[in-house]
Amino acid sequence: MLKTFPKGGIHPPENKITSTKEIKRMTVPKVVNVPIAQHIGIPAEIVVDKKDKVEKGQVIAKSGGFVSSNIHAPVAGTVTKLDLVIDTSGYKKQCIVIRTDAKDPSNFEEVDFPLKTDIELEPAAILQQITDCGIVGLGGATFPSQVKLNVREGTKLDYLIINGVECEPYLTADHRLMLEKAQEIVVGIKILMKALNLKKAVIGIENNKKDAISLFKSIIKKEDGIQVAALQVKYPQGGEKQLVRAILGREVPKNGLPLDVGVIVHNVGTIFAIYEAIQYNKPLIERVVTVTGKKLENPSNFWVKIGTPIKDLIAEVGGLPEGTRKLVNGGPMMGKAIKNTDVPVTKGTSGILVISEEEASRGKAENCIRCGECVYVCPMGLEPHLLMNLSEKGFYEKASQEDIMTCIECGSCSYVCPSHRPLLDYIRFGKNIVKKLETTKN
């Protein structure tokens, strides 16, 4: 029987309509809006000014602290302004606006690097290169990778887990990357195993991606210490705590990290970015983005420059279909609605989902009927109905005591609620308030 996590979980329709679409390269945008806060932690500090000419891959904002990340120019061009631009959060954030130099050949010559298997850098140099190249977690959390890999001496660490689950409906960016760059990903795994002095790594992939499972199994036959774990299809298996439990049977503490049980988890996209950073000194200036929706003319996966306006991606797939109600950054379960199509792609943009009127419509919220469905499906063992009520009524201290901060915001509770209650909306709101209150106390 295939492994999975034991607590909660749901099976929403997969709608992986782009899983057979090879990754295409997006047209280079005329203008990029590059936010300086594309990661968890302190925003980067701008090191360029208006009218400056920048080269492709040049650092334009330096890491602002320990938990921060460098930002690089995704194109060669001229800085036209330093401006506040609405990003995927819906708020105006500081951006570096660059006009692409249409005459610079580096903007249009995309090098397809040959596979490079020899790992020449030593562990300390690997970690420094990851820092310099601005690599962050590409699974959604955008945690600076060098921080996650900065393991204190004496910490017990015995496993690297590679997250190839991609359990979010509609999204197929990771699946396609695994099929098209599997050998590079395996080298990326070996790079991290060397950097962390690890002997064991496991690639976790759900069983709806049998082609990726077979491909990796064939590649790792001659590799010592790397395994593939085929997992039962269940949402939200891509959550770090759920994945560690499914693969190794280890329970990450309530407010802890996988490192507390001897594990580091990295997404396949992050592993590939690390491979390119170490083997070819390439900073994180582009990523794979799924642009999808049932009514789109040509839903596809693209290599997209960071800072590309989302309207460019929409145009590439045939434009917005009639009856479009919502644009979502991410997938339907954990994604967030986008305010307008000028919003730029960031390091954390895994997908753009176009939702029609009928799909986006919510049922009218009714009173809770105490059915317990939200409790049953919660992968963290919480009581979502209670957390919503506490947040709605302003009992934030009590919400904190009921572990609201351990919610991973997977949306399973809202998905199954027969009364259409906006459980996740209120829980997210409550978490924000609790976080602010705890910061004030400290």
Side-chain angles (χ1 to χ4, degrees), residues 19-282:
S19 62
T20 58
K21 300 279 188 84
E22 289 187 10
I23 306 169
K24 298 187 285 188
R25 189 158 288 283
M26 262 287 297
T27 305
V28 178
K30 293 178 181 178
V31 175
V32 290
N33 299 316
V34 187
I36 62 168
Q38 299 185 49
H39 46 266
I40 286 176
I42 303 166
E45 296 173 354
I46 297 172
V47 294
V48 292
D49 210 341
K50 188 178 175 182
K51 297 184 180 179
D52 283 358
K53 290 193 178 300
V54 294
E55 299 299 320
K56 182 179 174 182
Q58 176 184 328
V59 174
I60 54 176
K62 284 194 172 182
S63 171
F66 180 63
V67 183
S68 188
S69 182
N70 287 342
I71 306 290
H72 301 77
V75 295
T78 304
V79 177
T80 57
K81 53 185 172 179
L82 308 176
D83 202 3
L84 293 175
V85 175
I86 293 174
D87 71 358
T88 50
S89 70
Y91 296 98
K92 285 189 174 182
K93 299 286 181 67
Q94 186 71 59
C95 279
I96 300 168
V97 182
I98 304 171
R99 185 178 66 247
T100 303
D101 184 349
K103 295 180 180 179
D104 191 317
S106 70
N107 285 326
F108 308 98
E109 295 172 355
E110 296 301 338
V111 180
D112 192 10
F113 296 121
L115 179 67
K116 186 176 179 182
T117 57
D118 291 338
I119 305 165
E120 297 169 0
L121 295 184
E122 292 304 312
I126 289 172
L127 295 181
Q128 186 59 53
Q129 184 78 341
I130 289 170
T131 304
D132 294 343
C133 287
I135 310 300
V136 302
L138 298 183
T142 62
F143 195 76
S145 296
Q146 78 275 7
V147 179
K148 186 181 278 193
L149 297 170
N150 188 18
V151 181
R152 289 181 184 175
E153 196 172 335
T155 302
K156 183 186 175 185
L157 177 65
D158 60 349
Y159 268 98
L160 172 66
I161 289 180
I162 297 84
N163 188 345
V165 171
E166 199 168 41
C167 58
E168 181 81 37
Y170 283 99
L171 303 187
T172 61
D174 286 351
H175 185 188
R176 288 309 313 176
L177 190 64
M178 287 190 287
L179 293 178
E180 297 178 33
K181 300 292 182 182
Q183 289 181 303
E184 288 86 347
I185 289 168
V186 169
V187 176
I189 292 168
K190 292 166 72 176
I191 288 169
L192 284 192
M193 290 174 76
K194 180 178 180 178
L196 297 167
N197 192 27
L198 284 174
K199 305 297 182 190
K200 294 180 282 189
V202 184
I203 309 166
I205 309 173
E206 284 193 327
N207 206 42
N208 56 357
K209 305 174 188 66
K210 288 184 170 65
D211 46 4
I213 292 169
S214 298
L215 179 57
F216 275 106
K217 281 186 174 178
S218 67
I219 292 172
I220 64 168
K221 280 180 181 177
K222 297 178 182 178
E223 302 292 347
D224 290 334
I226 304 177
Q227 298 175 294
V228 175
L231 304 169
Q232 184 181 320
V233 179
K234 186 164 71 164
Y235 179 87
Q237 195 141 238
E240 283 192 337
K241 289 181 171 69
Q242 286 68 39
L243 190 58
V244 171
R245 182 68 172 80
I247 292 176
L248 299 177
R250 299 179 187 178
E251 194 80 44
V252 178
K254 184 172 65 178
N255 294 310
L257 299 168
L259 191 58
D260 296 328
V261 293
V263 183
I264 282 182
V265 182
H266 268 296
N267 168 268
V268 289
T270 312
I271 296 289
F272 180 72
I274 287 171
Y275 163 82
E276 290 201 316
I278 301 305
Q279 303 296 70
Y280 289 100
N281 195 29
K282 181 181 174 181

Side-chain angles (χ1 to χ4, degrees), residues 294-369:
K294 290 180 180 177
K295 297 195 173 180
L296 282 182
E297 186 181 310
N298 187 27
S300 304
N301 293 296
F302 296 101
W303 280 109
V304 184
K305 301 291 185 191
I306 303 301
T308 301
I310 282 167
K311 63 185 176 187
D312 289 12
L313 279 74
I314 299 298
E316 202 85 9
V317 295
L320 287 178
E322 193 176 336
T324 296
R325 171 74 178 276
K326 272 185 184 178
L327 287 176
V328 176
N329 174 45
M333 298 301 296
M334 294 187 74
K336 295 179 181 178
I338 297 168
K339 205 163 187 177
N340 63 51
T341 58
D342 292 323
V343 168
V345 167
T346 66
K347 294 178 182 181
T349 306
S350 55
I352 302 297
L353 174 60
V354 179
I355 303 181
S356 64
E357 180 73 39
E358 54 265 36
E359 280 188 289
S361 298
R362 289 189 181 191
K364 183 185 176 184
E366 305 284 355
N367 291 332
C368 174
I369 61 172

